[in-house]
Coordinates of all heavy atoms in Angstrom, one line a residue:
M1 N -20.1 -35.1 -2.8 CA -20.2 -35.1 -4.2 C -19.4 -33.8 -4.7 O -19.6 -32.8 -4.2 CB -21.6 -35.0 -4.7 CG -21.8 -35.0 -6.2 SD -23.5 -34.8 -6.8 CE -24.3 -36.3 -6.2
S2 N -18.6 -34.0 -5.7 CA -17.8 -32.9 -6.2 C -18.8 -31.9 -7.0 O -19.8 -32.3 -7.5 CB -16.7 -33.3 -7.2 OG -17.3 -33.8 -8.4
A3 N -18.3 -30.7 -7.1 CA -19.1 -29.7 -7.8 C -19.3 -30.1 -9.3 O -20.4 -29.9 -9.8 CB -18.4 -28.3 -7.8
R4 N -18.3 -30.7 -9.8 CA -18.4 -31.1 -11.2 C -19.5 -32.2 -11.4 O -20.3 -32.1 -12.4 CB -17.1 -31.7 -11.7 CG -17.0 -32.0 -13.2 CD -15.6 -32.5 -13.6 NE -15.5 -32.3 -15.0 CZ -14.8 -31.4 -15.5 NH1 -14.1 -30.6 -14.8 NH2 -14.7 -31.2 -16.9
K5 N -19.6 -33.1 -10.5 CA -20.6 -34.2 -10.5 C -22.0 -33.6 -10.3 O -23.0 -34.0 -10.9 CB -20.3 -35.3 -9.5 CG -19.3 -36.3 -9.9 CD -19.2 -37.4 -9.0 CE -18.1 -38.4 -9.4 NZ -17.9 -39.4 -8.4
M6 N -22.1 -32.6 -9.4 CA -23.4 -32.0 -9.1 C -23.9 -31.3 -10.4 O -25.0 -31.4 -10.8 CB -23.3 -31.0 -8.0 CG -23.5 -31.6 -6.6 SD -23.3 -30.5 -5.2 CE -24.3 -29.2 -5.6
L7 N -23.0 -30.5 -11.0 CA -23.4 -29.8 -12.2 C -23.7 -30.7 -13.4 O -24.6 -30.4 -14.2 CB -22.3 -28.8 -12.6 CG -22.0 -27.7 -11.7 CD1 -20.9 -26.8 -12.1 CD2 -23.3 -26.8 -11.5
A8 N -23.1 -31.9 -13.4 CA -23.4 -32.9 -14.5 C -24.8 -33.4 -14.5 O -25.3 -33.9 -15.5 CB -22.4 -34.0 -14.4
Q9 N -25.5 -33.2 -13.4 CA -26.9 -33.6 -13.3 C -27.8 -32.8 -14.1 O -29.0 -33.1 -14.4 CB -27.4 -33.5 -11.8 CG -26.7 -34.3 -10.8 CD -27.1 -34.1 -9.4 OE1 -28.3 -34.4 -9.1 NE2 -26.3 -33.4 -8.6
F10 N -27.4 -31.6 -14.5 CA -28.2 -30.6 -15.2 C -27.8 -30.5 -16.7 O -26.6 -30.6 -17.0 CB -28.2 -29.3 -14.5 CG -28.6 -29.4 -13.1 CD1 -27.6 -29.4 -12.1 CD2 -29.9 -29.4 -12.7 CE1 -28.0 -29.5 -10.7 CE2 -30.3 -29.5 -11.4 CZ -29.3 -29.6 -10.4
T11 N -28.8 -30.2 -17.5 CA -28.4 -29.9 -18.9 C -27.8 -28.5 -19.0 O -28.0 -27.7 -18.1 CB -29.7 -29.9 -19.8 OG1 -30.5 -28.8 -19.4 CG2 -30.4 -31.3 -19.7
T12 N -27.1 -28.2 -20.1 CA -26.6 -26.9 -20.3 C -27.7 -25.8 -20.3 O -27.5 -24.8 -19.7 CB -25.8 -26.9 -21.6 OG1 -24.8 -27.8 -21.6 CG2 -25.2 -25.5 -21.9
D13 N -28.8 -26.1 -20.9 CA -29.9 -25.2 -20.9 C -30.4 -24.9 -19.5 O -30.7 -23.7 -19.2 CB -31.1 -25.7 -21.7 CG -30.8 -25.6 -23.2 OD1 -29.9 -25.0 -23.6 OD2 -31.6 -26.2 -24.0
Q14 N -30.5 -25.9 -18.6 CA -30.9 -25.7 -17.3 C -29.9 -24.8 -16.5 O -30.3 -23.9 -15.7 CB -31.1 -27.0 -16.5 CG -32.3 -27.8 -17.0 CD -32.3 -29.2 -16.4 OE1 -31.3 -29.8 -16.3 NE2 -33.5 -29.6 -16.0
L15 N -28.6 -25.0 -16.7 CA -27.6 -24.2 -16.1 C -27.7 -22.8 -16.5 O -27.6 -21.8 -15.7 CB -26.2 -24.8 -16.3 CG -26.0 -26.2 -15.7 CD1 -24.7 -26.8 -16.1 CD2 -26.0 -26.1 -14.1
L16 N -27.8 -22.6 -17.9 CA -27.9 -21.2 -18.4 C -29.2 -20.5 -17.9 O -29.1 -19.3 -17.5 CB -27.9 -21.2 -19.9 CG -26.6 -21.6 -20.6 CD1 -26.8 -21.8 -22.1 CD2 -25.6 -20.5 -20.3
E17 N -30.3 -21.2 -17.8 CA -31.5 -20.6 -17.2 C -31.3 -20.2 -15.8 O -31.8 -19.1 -15.4 CB -32.6 -21.7 -17.3 CG -34.0 -21.1 -17.0 CD -35.0 -22.2 -17.2 OE1 -35.1 -22.8 -18.3 OE2 -35.8 -22.4 -16.2
E18 N -30.6 -21.0 -15.0 CA -30.3 -20.6 -13.6 C -29.4 -19.4 -13.5 O -29.6 -18.5 -12.7 CB -29.7 -21.8 -12.9 CG -29.3 -21.5 -11.5 CD -30.5 -21.2 -10.5 OE1 -31.6 -21.4 -10.9 OE2 -30.2 -20.7 -9.4
I19 N -28.4 -19.3 -14.4 CA -27.6 -18.1 -14.4 C -28.4 -16.9 -14.8 O -28.2 -15.8 -14.1 CB -26.4 -18.3 -15.4 CG1 -25.4 -19.4 -14.9 CG2 -25.7 -17.0 -15.7 CD1 -24.4 -19.9 -15.9
V20 N -29.2 -17.0 -15.8 CA -30.1 -15.8 -16.1 C -31.0 -15.4 -15.0 O -31.1 -14.3 -14.7 CB -30.9 -16.1 -17.4 CG1 -31.9 -15.0 -17.7 CG2 -29.9 -16.3 -18.6
R21 N -31.6 -16.4 -14.3 CA -32.5 -16.2 -13.2 C -31.7 -15.4 -12.1 O -32.2 -14.4 -11.6 CB -33.0 -17.5 -12.7 CG -34.1 -17.3 -11.6 CD -34.5 -18.6 -10.9 NE -33.4 -19.1 -10.1 CZ -33.0 -18.6 -8.9 NH1 -33.7 -17.5 -8.4 NH2 -32.0 -19.1 -8.2
R22 N -30.5 -15.9 -11.8 CA -29.7 -15.2 -10.8 C -29.3 -13.8 -11.2 O -29.3 -12.9 -10.4 CB -28.5 -16.0 -10.4 CG -28.8 -17.3 -9.7 CD -27.5 -18.0 -9.4 NE -27.9 -19.3 -8.8 CZ -27.1 -20.0 -8.0 NH1 -25.9 -19.6 -7.8 NH2 -27.5 -21.1 -7.5
R23 N -29.0 -13.6 -12.4 CA -28.7 -12.2 -12.9 C -29.9 -11.3 -12.8 O -29.7 -10.2 -12.3 CB -28.2 -12.3 -14.4 CG -27.7 -10.9 -14.9 CD -27.5 -10.9 -16.3 NE -28.8 -11.1 -17.0 CZ -29.0 -11.3 -18.3 NH1 -27.9 -11.3 -19.0 NH2 -30.2 -11.5 -18.8
E24 N -31.0 -11.8 -13.1 CA -32.3 -11.0 -13.0 C -32.5 -10.6 -11.6 O -33.0 -9.5 -11.3 CB -33.5 -11.8 -13.6 CG -33.4 -11.9 -15.1 CD -33.4 -10.6 -15.8 OE1 -34.3 -9.8 -15.6 OE2 -32.5 -10.4 -16.7
D25 N -32.3 -11.6 -10.7 CA -32.6 -11.3 -9.2 C -31.7 -10.3 -8.7 O -32.0 -9.6 -7.8 CB -32.3 -12.6 -8.4 CG -33.5 -13.6 -8.5 OD1 -34.5 -13.2 -9.1 OD2 -33.4 -14.7 -8.0
R26 N -30.5 -10.1 -9.3 CA -29.5 -9.2 -8.7 C -29.5 -7.8 -9.4 O -28.8 -6.9 -9.0 CB -28.1 -9.8 -8.8 CG -27.9 -10.9 -7.9 CD -26.6 -11.5 -8.0 NE -26.5 -12.7 -7.1 CZ -25.8 -13.8 -7.3 NH1 -25.1 -13.9 -8.4 NH2 -25.9 -14.8 -6.5
K27 N -30.3 -7.7 -10.5 CA -30.4 -6.4 -11.1 C -31.0 -5.4 -10.2 O -31.8 -5.7 -9.3 CB -31.4 -6.5 -12.3 CG -30.7 -7.0 -13.6 CD -31.7 -6.8 -14.7 CE -31.0 -7.3 -16.0 NZ -32.0 -7.3 -17.1
D28 N -30.6 -4.1 -10.4 CA -31.2 -3.1 -9.6 C -32.7 -3.0 -9.7 O -33.2 -3.0 -10.8 CB -30.6 -1.7 -10.0 CG -31.1 -0.6 -9.2 OD1 -31.6 -0.8 -8.1 OD2 -31.1 0.5 -9.7
I29 N -33.4 -3.1 -8.6 CA -34.8 -3.2 -8.7 C -35.4 -1.9 -8.1 O -36.6 -1.8 -7.8 CB -35.4 -4.4 -7.9 CG1 -35.0 -4.4 -6.5 CG2 -35.0 -5.7 -8.6 CD1 -35.8 -5.3 -5.7
G30 N -34.6 -0.9 -8.0 CA -35.0 0.4 -7.4 C -36.3 1.0 -8.1 O -37.1 1.6 -7.4
D31 N -36.4 0.8 -9.4 CA -37.6 1.4 -10.0 C -38.7 0.5 -10.3 O -39.7 0.8 -11.0 CB -37.1 2.1 -11.4 CG -36.5 1.1 -12.3 OD1 -36.2 -0.1 -11.8 OD2 -36.4 1.4 -13.5
V32 N -38.7 -0.7 -9.7 CA -39.7 -1.7 -9.9 C -40.8 -1.5 -8.9 O -40.6 -1.3 -7.7 CB -39.1 -3.1 -9.8 CG1 -40.2 -4.2 -9.9 CG2 -38.1 -3.4 -10.9
Q33 N -42.1 -1.5 -9.3 CA -43.2 -1.4 -8.4 C -43.5 -2.7 -7.7 O -43.6 -3.7 -8.4 CB -44.4 -0.9 -9.2 CG -44.4 0.5 -9.6 CD -45.7 0.8 -10.3 OE1 -45.9 0.4 -11.5 NE2 -46.6 1.5 -9.6
P34 N -43.7 -2.6 -6.4 CA -44.1 -3.9 -5.7 C -45.5 -4.3 -6.1 O -46.4 -3.5 -6.3 CB -43.9 -3.5 -4.2 CG -44.0 -2.0 -4.2 CD -43.6 -1.5 -5.5
C35 N -45.7 -5.6 -6.0 CA -47.1 -6.1 -6.3 C -48.1 -5.7 -5.2 O -49.3 -5.7 -5.5 CB -47.0 -7.6 -6.5 SG -46.5 -8.1 -8.2
D36 N -47.6 -5.5 -4.0 CA -48.6 -5.2 -2.9 C -49.3 -3.9 -3.1 O -50.1 -3.5 -2.3 CB -48.0 -5.4 -1.6 CG -46.9 -4.5 -1.2 OD1 -46.6 -3.6 -2.0 OD2 -46.3 -4.6 -0.1
E37 N -48.9 -3.1 -4.1 CA -49.6 -1.9 -4.4 C -50.7 -2.1 -5.5 O -51.3 -1.1 -5.9 CB -48.6 -0.8 -4.8 CG -47.7 -0.4 -3.7 CD -46.7 0.7 -4.1 OE1 -46.7 1.1 -5.3 OE2 -45.8 1.1 -3.3
C38 N -50.8 -3.3 -5.9 CA -51.8 -3.6 -7.0 C -53.0 -4.2 -6.3 O -53.0 -4.9 -5.4 CB -51.1 -4.7 -7.9 SG -52.3 -5.3 -9.1
R39 N -54.2 -3.8 -6.9 CA -55.4 -4.3 -6.3 C -55.6 -5.8 -6.5 O -56.5 -6.4 -5.9 CB -56.6 -3.5 -6.9 CG -57.0 -3.9 -8.4 CD -58.2 -3.1 -8.8 NE -57.9 -1.7 -8.8 CZ -58.8 -0.7 -8.5 NH1 -60.0 -1.0 -8.1 NH2 -58.4 0.5 -8.5
H40 N -54.9 -6.4 -7.3 CA -55.0 -7.9 -7.5 C -54.1 -8.7 -6.5 O -54.1 -9.9 -6.5 CB -54.6 -8.3 -8.9 CG -55.4 -7.7 -10.0 ND1 -56.8 -8.0 -10.1 CD2 -55.2 -6.8 -11.0 CE1 -57.3 -7.3 -11.1 NE2 -56.4 -6.6 -11.6
F41 N -53.4 -7.9 -5.6 CA -52.6 -8.6 -4.6 C -53.4 -8.9 -3.4 O -54.1 -8.1 -2.8 CB -51.4 -7.7 -4.2 CG -50.4 -8.3 -3.3 CD1 -49.3 -9.0 -3.9 CD2 -50.5 -8.3 -2.0 CE1 -48.4 -9.6 -3.1 CE2 -49.6 -8.9 -1.1 CZ -48.5 -9.6 -1.7
K42 N -53.5 -10.2 -3.0 CA -54.3 -10.7 -1.9 C -53.3 -10.9 -0.7 O -52.5 -11.8 -0.7 CB -55.0 -12.0 -2.2 CG -55.9 -11.9 -3.3 CD -56.5 -13.3 -3.6 CE -55.3 -14.2 -4.1 NZ -55.7 -15.6 -4.4
F43 N -53.5 -10.1 0.3 CA -52.7 -10.3 1.5 C -53.2 -11.5 2.2 O -54.4 -11.8 2.2 CB -52.8 -9.0 2.4 CG -52.1 -7.8 1.9 CD1 -52.7 -6.9 1.1 CD2 -50.7 -7.7 2.1 CE1 -52.1 -5.8 0.5 CE2 -50.0 -6.6 1.6 CZ -50.7 -5.7 0.8
W44 N -52.3 -12.2 2.9 CA -52.7 -13.4 3.7 C -53.2 -12.9 5.0 O -52.5 -12.4 5.8 CB -51.5 -14.3 3.9 CG -51.9 -15.5 4.7 CD1 -51.5 -15.8 6.0 CD2 -52.6 -16.7 4.2 NE1 -52.0 -17.0 6.4 CE2 -52.7 -17.6 5.3 CE3 -53.2 -17.0 3.0 CZ2 -53.3 -18.8 5.2 CZ3 -53.9 -18.3 3.0 CH2 -53.9 -19.1 4.1
I45 N -54.6 -12.9 5.2 CA -55.1 -12.4 6.4 C -55.7 -13.4 7.4 O -56.2 -13.1 8.4 CB -56.2 -11.3 6.1 CG1 -57.3 -11.9 5.2 CG2 -55.6 -10.1 5.5 CD1 -58.5 -11.0 5.0
T46 N -55.6 -14.7 6.9 CA -56.1 -15.8 7.7 C -55.0 -16.1 8.8 O -53.8 -15.9 8.5 CB -56.3 -17.0 6.9 OG1 -57.2 -16.6 5.8 CG2 -57.0 -18.1 7.6
S47 N -55.4 -16.5 10.0 CA -54.5 -16.9 11.0 C -53.6 -18.1 10.5 O -54.1 -18.9 9.8 CB -55.1 -17.1 12.3 OG -56.0 -18.3 12.2
G48 N -52.4 -18.1 11.0 CA -51.5 -19.2 10.7 C -50.7 -18.9 9.4 O -51.0 -17.8 8.8
E49 N -49.8 -19.8 9.1 CA -48.9 -19.5 8.0 C -49.6 -19.8 6.7 O -50.5 -20.7 6.6 CB -47.7 -20.4 8.1 CG -46.6 -19.7 8.9 CD -45.3 -20.5 8.8 OE1 -44.9 -20.9 7.7 OE2 -44.7 -20.6 9.8
A50 N -49.3 -19.0 5.6 CA -49.9 -19.3 4.3 C -49.3 -20.6 3.8 O -48.1 -20.9 4.1 CB -49.5 -18.2 3.4
P51 N -50.1 -21.4 3.0 CA -49.5 -22.6 2.4 C -48.4 -22.3 1.5 O -48.3 -21.2 0.9 CB -50.7 -23.2 1.7 CG -51.7 -22.2 1.6 CD -51.4 -21.1 2.7
K52 N -47.5 -23.2 1.3 CA -46.3 -23.0 0.4 C -46.7 -22.6 -1.0 O -46.0 -21.9 -1.7 CB -45.4 -24.2 0.4 CG -44.7 -24.5 1.7 CD -43.4 -25.2 1.5 CE -42.7 -25.5 2.8 NZ -42.5 -24.4 3.7
D53 N -47.9 -23.1 -1.4 CA -48.2 -22.8 -2.8 C -49.2 -21.6 -2.9 O -49.7 -21.3 -4.0 CB -48.9 -24.0 -3.5 CG -50.2 -24.4 -2.7 OD1 -50.5 -23.9 -1.6 OD2 -51.0 -25.2 -3.3
Y54 N -49.2 -20.8 -1.8 CA -50.1 -19.6 -1.8 C -49.5 -18.6 -2.8 O -48.4 -18.2 -2.8 CB -50.2 -19.0 -0.5 CG -51.0 -17.8 -0.4 CD1 -52.4 -17.8 -0.6 CD2 -50.4 -16.5 -0.2 CE1 -53.1 -16.7 -0.6 CE2 -51.2 -15.4 -0.1 CZ -52.6 -15.5 -0.3 OH -53.3 -14.3 -0.3
N55 N -50.4 -18.2 -3.7 CA -50.0 -17.1 -4.7 C -50.8 -15.9 -4.4 O -52.0 -15.8 -4.6 CB -50.3 -17.6 -6.1 CG -49.9 -16.6 -7.2 OD1 -49.5 -15.5 -6.8 ND2 -49.9 -17.0 -8.4
P56 N -50.1 -14.8 -3.9 CA -50.8 -13.6 -3.5 C -51.5 -12.9 -4.7 O -52.3 -12.0 -4.5 CB -49.7 -12.7 -2.9 CG -48.6 -13.6 -2.6 CD -48.7 -14.7 -3.6
C57 N -51.1 -13.2 -5.9 CA -51.7 -12.6 -7.1 C -53.0 -13.3 -7.4 O -53.0 -14.5 -7.7 CB -50.8 -12.6 -8.3 SG -51.6 -12.0 -9.8
E58 N -54.2 -12.6 -7.3 CA -55.5 -13.3 -7.5 C -55.6 -13.7 -8.9 O -56.5 -14.5 -9.2 CB -56.6 -12.4 -7.0 CG -56.8 -11.2 -7.9 CD -57.9 -10.3 -7.4 OE1 -58.5 -10.6 -6.4 OE2 -58.2 -9.3 -8.1
L59 N -54.8 -13.2 -9.8 CA -54.9 -13.6 -11.2 C -54.0 -14.8 -11.5 O -53.9 -15.3 -12.6 CB -54.5 -12.5 -12.2 CG -55.4 -11.2 -12.0 CD1 -54.9 -10.1 -12.9 CD2 -56.8 -11.5 -12.2
G60 N -53.2 -15.2 -10.5 CA -52.4 -16.4 -10.6 C -51.1 -16.1 -11.4 O -50.4 -17.0 -11.8
N61 N -50.7 -14.8 -11.5 CA -49.5 -14.5 -12.2 C -48.3 -14.9 -11.3 O -48.4 -14.8 -10.1 CB -49.4 -13.0 -12.5 CG -50.4 -12.6 -13.6 OD1 -50.8 -13.4 -14.4 ND2 -50.9 -11.4 -13.5
R62 N -47.3 -15.3 -12.0 CA -46.1 -15.7 -11.2 C -45.3 -14.4 -10.9 O -45.0 -13.6 -11.8 CB -45.2 -16.6 -12.1 CG -44.1 -17.2 -11.4 CD -43.5 -18.3 -12.3 NE -42.3 -18.7 -11.6 CZ -41.3 -19.4 -12.2 NH1 -41.5 -19.7 -13.5 NH2 -40.3 -19.8 -11.6
M63 N -44.9 -14.3 -9.7 CA -44.1 -13.1 -9.2 C -42.8 -13.5 -8.7 O -42.5 -14.7 -8.5 CB -44.9 -12.4 -8.1 CG -46.2 -11.9 -8.5 SD -47.2 -11.3 -7.0 CE -47.7 -12.9 -6.4
R64 N -41.9 -12.6 -8.6 CA -40.6 -12.8 -8.0 C -40.7 -12.2 -6.6 O -41.5 -11.4 -6.3 CB -39.5 -12.2 -8.8 CG -39.3 -12.8 -10.1 CD -38.2 -12.1 -10.9 NE -37.9 -12.8 -12.1 CZ -36.9 -13.8 -12.1 NH1 -36.3 -14.1 -11.0 NH2 -36.7 -14.4 -13.2
F65 N -39.7 -12.6 -5.8 CA -39.6 -12.0 -4.4 C -38.2 -11.5 -4.2 O -37.3 -12.1 -4.5 CB -40.0 -13.0 -3.4 CG -40.2 -12.5 -2.0 CD1 -41.4 -11.9 -1.6 CD2 -39.1 -12.4 -1.1 CE1 -41.5 -11.4 -0.4 CE2 -39.2 -11.9 0.2 CZ -40.5 -11.4 0.5
H66 N -38.1 -10.2 -3.7 CA -36.8 -9.7 -3.4 C -36.8 -9.1 -2.0 O -37.7 -8.3 -1.7 CB -36.5 -8.6 -4.4 CG -35.1 -8.0 -4.1 ND1 -34.0 -8.6 -4.6 CD2 -34.8 -6.9 -3.4 CE1 -32.9 -7.9 -4.1 NE2 -33.4 -6.8 -3.5
M67 N -35.8 -9.4 -1.3 CA -35.6 -8.9 0.0 C -34.1 -8.4 0.0 O -33.2 -9.1 -0.5 CB -35.7 -10.0 1.1 CG -35.6 -9.5 2.5 SD -36.9 -8.4 3.1 CE -38.2 -9.6 3.3
A68 N -33.9 -7.2 0.5 CA -32.5 -6.6 0.5 C -31.6 -7.6 1.2 O -31.9 -8.0 2.3 CB -32.5 -5.3 1.1
G69 N -30.4 -7.8 0.6 CA -29.4 -8.6 1.2 C -28.3 -7.8 1.7 O -28.4 -6.5 1.7
D70 N -27.2 -8.4 2.1 CA -26.1 -7.7 2.7 C -25.5 -6.8 1.6 O -25.4 -7.1 0.5 CB -25.0 -8.7 3.1 CG -25.4 -9.5 4.3 OD1 -26.3 -9.1 5.0 OD2 -24.8 -10.6 4.5
G71 N -25.2 -5.5 2.0 CA -24.6 -4.6 1.1 C -25.6 -3.9 0.2 O -25.3 -3.1 -0.6
E72 N -26.9 -4.3 0.3 CA -27.9 -3.6 -0.6 C -28.6 -2.5 0.2 O -28.8 -2.6 1.4 CB -28.9 -4.7 -1.0 CG -28.6 -5.4 -2.2 CD -29.7 -6.3 -2.7 OE1 -29.9 -7.4 -2.2 OE2 -30.4 -5.8 -3.6
D73 N -29.2 -1.6 -0.6 CA -30.0 -0.5 0.0 C -31.2 -1.2 0.7 O -32.0 -1.9 0.0 CB -30.4 0.4 -1.1 CG -31.3 1.5 -0.6 OD1 -31.6 1.5 0.6 OD2 -31.7 2.3 -1.4
P74 N -31.4 -1.0 2.0 CA -32.5 -1.6 2.7 C -33.8 -1.2 2.1 O -34.8 -1.9 2.2 CB -32.3 -1.2 4.1 CG -31.3 -0.2 4.2 CD -30.5 -0.2 2.9
H75 N -33.8 0.0 1.5 CA -35.1 0.5 0.9 C -35.5 -0.2 -0.4 O -36.5 0.0 -0.9 CB -35.0 2.0 0.7 CG -34.8 2.8 1.9 ND1 -35.7 2.8 2.9 CD2 -33.7 3.4 2.4 CE1 -35.2 3.5 3.9 NE2 -34.0 3.9 3.6
S76 N -34.5 -1.1 -0.9 CA -34.8 -1.8 -2.1 C -35.6 -3.1 -1.8 O -35.9 -3.9 -2.6 CB -33.6 -2.2 -2.9 OG -32.8 -3.1 -2.1
S77 N -35.9 -3.3 -0.5 CA -36.6 -4.4 0.0 C -38.1 -4.3 -0.5 O -38.9 -3.7 0.2 CB -36.5 -4.6 1.5 OG -37.3 -5.6 1.9
I78 N -38.4 -4.9 -1.6 CA -39.8 -4.6 -2.1 C -40.7 -5.8 -2.0 O -41.9 -5.7 -2.2 CB -39.8 -4.1 -3.6 CG1 -39.2 -5.2 -4.5 CG2 -39.0 -2.8 -3.7 CD1 -39.5 -4.9 -5.9
G79 N -40.2 -7.0 -1.6 CA -41.1 -8.1 -1.5 C -41.5 -8.7 -2.9 O -40.7 -8.8 -3.8
Y80 N -42.8 -9.0 -3.0 CA -43.2 -9.6 -4.3 C -43.2 -8.5 -5.4 O -43.6 -7.3 -5.1 CB -44.6 -10.1 -4.2 CG -44.7 -11.4 -3.5 CD1 -45.1 -11.5 -2.1 CD2 -44.3 -12.6 -4.1 CE1 -45.1 -12.7 -1.4 CE2 -44.4 -13.8 -3.4 CZ -44.8 -13.8 -2.1 OH -44.8 -15.0 -1.4
Y81 N -42.8 -8.8 -6.6 CA -42.8 -7.9 -7.7 C -42.9 -8.6 -9.0 O -42.6 -9.9 -9.1 CB -41.6 -7.0 -7.7 CG -40.3 -7.7 -8.0 CD1 -39.8 -7.6 -9.3 CD2 -39.6 -8.4 -7.1 CE1 -38.6 -8.3 -9.7 CE2 -38.4 -9.1 -7.4 CZ -37.9 -9.0 -8.7 OH -36.8 -9.6 -9.1
R82 N -43.2 -7.9 -10.0 CA -43.2 -8.4 -11.4 C -42.9 -7.2 -12.2 O -43.5 -6.2 -12.2 CB -44.6 -9.0 -11.8 CG -44.7 -9.7 -13.1 CD -46.0 -10.4 -13.2 NE -46.3 -10.7 -14.6 CZ -46.4 -12.0 -15.0 NH1 -46.1 -13.0 -14.2 NH2 -46.7 -12.2 -16.3
R83 N -41.7 -7.3 -12.9 CA -41.2 -6.2 -13.7 C -42.3 -5.6 -14.7 O -42.5 -4.4 -14.7 CB -40.0 -6.5 -14.5 CG -38.7 -6.6 -13.6 CD -37.5 -6.8 -14.4 NE -36.4 -7.1 -13.5 CZ -35.8 -6.2 -12.8 NH1 -36.0 -4.9 -13.0 NH2 -34.8 -6.5 -12.0
V84 N -42.8 -6.5 -15.4 CA -43.8 -6.1 -16.4 C -45.1 -6.9 -16.2 O -45.0 -8.1 -16.1 CB -43.3 -6.3 -17.9 CG1 -44.4 -5.9 -18.9 CG2 -42.0 -5.5 -18.1
C85 N -46.2 -6.2 -16.0 CA -47.4 -6.9 -15.8 C -48.6 -6.1 -16.5 O -48.9 -5.0 -16.0 CB -47.7 -7.1 -14.4 SG -49.2 -8.1 -14.1
V86 N -49.2 -6.7 -17.5 CA -50.2 -5.9 -18.2 C -51.5 -5.8 -17.3 O -52.4 -5.0 -17.6 CB -50.6 -6.6 -19.5 CG1 -49.4 -6.5 -20.5 CG2 -51.0 -8.1 -19.3
S87 N -51.6 -6.6 -16.3 CA -52.8 -6.6 -15.4 C -52.6 -5.7 -14.2 O -53.5 -5.6 -13.4 CB -53.1 -8.0 -14.9 OG -53.1 -8.9 -16.0
R88 N -51.5 -5.1 -14.1 CA -51.2 -4.2 -12.9 C -52.3 -3.2 -12.8 O -52.6 -2.5 -13.8 CB -49.9 -3.6 -13.0 CG -49.5 -2.7 -11.7 CD -48.2 -2.0 -11.9 NE -47.1 -3.0 -12.1 CZ -46.5 -3.6 -11.1 NH1 -46.9 -3.5 -9.9 NH2 -45.5 -4.5 -11.4
S89 N -52.9 -3.0 -11.7 CA -53.9 -2.0 -11.5 C -53.7 -1.4 -10.1 O -53.9 -2.1 -9.1 CB -55.3 -2.7 -11.6 OG -56.3 -1.8 -11.3
P90 N -53.3 -0.2 -10.0 CA -52.9 0.4 -8.7 C -54.1 0.3 -7.7 O -55.2 0.6 -8.1 CB -52.6 1.9 -9.0 CG -52.3 1.9 -10.5 CD -53.1 0.8 -11.1
R91 N -53.8 -0.1 -6.5 CA -54.7 -0.1 -5.4 C -55.0 1.3 -5.1 O -54.2 2.2 -5.1 CB -54.1 -0.8 -4.2 CG -54.9 -1.0 -3.0 CD -54.1 -1.6 -1.9 NE -53.5 -2.9 -2.2 CZ -54.1 -4.0 -2.2 NH1 -55.3 -4.1 -1.7 NH2 -53.5 -5.2 -2.5
E92 N -56.3 1.6 -4.7 CA -56.6 2.9 -4.3 C -55.8 3.4 -3.2 O -55.6 2.7 -2.2 CB -58.1 3.0 -3.9 CG -58.8 4.3 -4.2 CD -60.3 4.2 -4.1 OE1 -60.9 3.6 -5.1 OE2 -60.8 4.6 -3.1
G93 N -55.2 4.6 -3.3 CA -54.4 5.1 -2.2 C -52.9 4.8 -2.4 O -52.1 5.3 -1.7
A94 N -52.6 3.8 -3.3 CA -51.2 3.5 -3.5 C -50.6 4.5 -4.4 O -51.3 5.0 -5.3 CB -51.1 2.1 -4.1
T95 N -49.3 4.7 -4.3 CA -48.6 5.7 -5.2 C -48.2 5.0 -6.5 O -48.0 3.9 -6.6 CB -47.4 6.2 -4.5 OG1 -46.5 5.2 -4.0 CG2 -47.8 7.1 -3.3
Ligands
SF4_1 S1 -48.9 -6.5 -10.6 FE1 -49.6 -8.2 -11.8 S2 -48.6 -10.0 -10.8 FE2 -48.6 -8.3 -9.4 S3 -50.4 -8.6 -8.1 FE3 -50.9 -7.2 -9.8 S4 -51.8 -8.5 -11.4 FE4 -50.7 -9.8 -10.0

């Protein structure tokens, strides 16, 4: 299938939404706090793999996930995060 035909499956709004999502994913996240420092973050401690729909946020908030890619600062590998969250509550001992 040609790229043109593949793109024709989506509306212009869907394509623009995807472009914005990708731009957000690539923004510098150096100053973003990871969710695993929040007391509402539930680590998967049961044996076996977590189900695909597992949400580590006990409040059910939607998070993003970032892992450093090629050419990125490996220290920017923060895992789950949410840029702005009114429910963020630092876990005791977290910075
Ligand atoms: S920062 Fe917000 S989204 Fe992240 S775990 Fe805490 S409450 Fe959930």
Side-chain angles (χ1 to χ4, degrees):
M1 182 185 293
S2 73
R4 187 179 202 105
K5 279 186 179 174
M6 273 178 53
L7 293 176
Q9 300 174 68
F10 304 99
T11 67
T12 301
D13 285 349
Q14 288 172 321
L15 293 172
L16 289 171
E17 191 177 304
E18 177 63 11
I19 289 169
V20 170
R21 187 190 67 74
R22 290 182 184 200
R23 185 191 63 188
E24 292 297 311
D25 281 352
R26 292 183 182 143
K27 274 187 178 173
D28 179 25
I29 59 164
D31 60 347
V32 175
Q33 286 182 284
C35 277
D36 63 5
E37 293 179 0
C38 172
R39 72 177 63 218
H40 298 298
F41 189 89
K42 298 175 296 179
F43 290 92
W44 179 256
I45 54 173
T46 309
S47 63
E49 273 189 42
K52 290 210 181 307
D53 63 348
Y54 179 67
N55 183 347
C57 176
E58 69 182 3
L59 303 179
N61 291 331
R62 190 168 171 200
M63 296 170 284
R64 292 178 171 273
F65 189 85
H66 180 82
M67 182 71 75
D70 291 340
E72 274 188 278
D73 176 0
H75 300 294
S76 69
S77 173
I78 63 166
Y80 286 102
Y81 70 98
R82 188 171 162 109
R83 280 184 191 281
V84 178
C85 183
V86 295
S87 306
R88 183 183 302 279
S89 176
R91 181 186 305 276
E92 211 167 285
T95 53

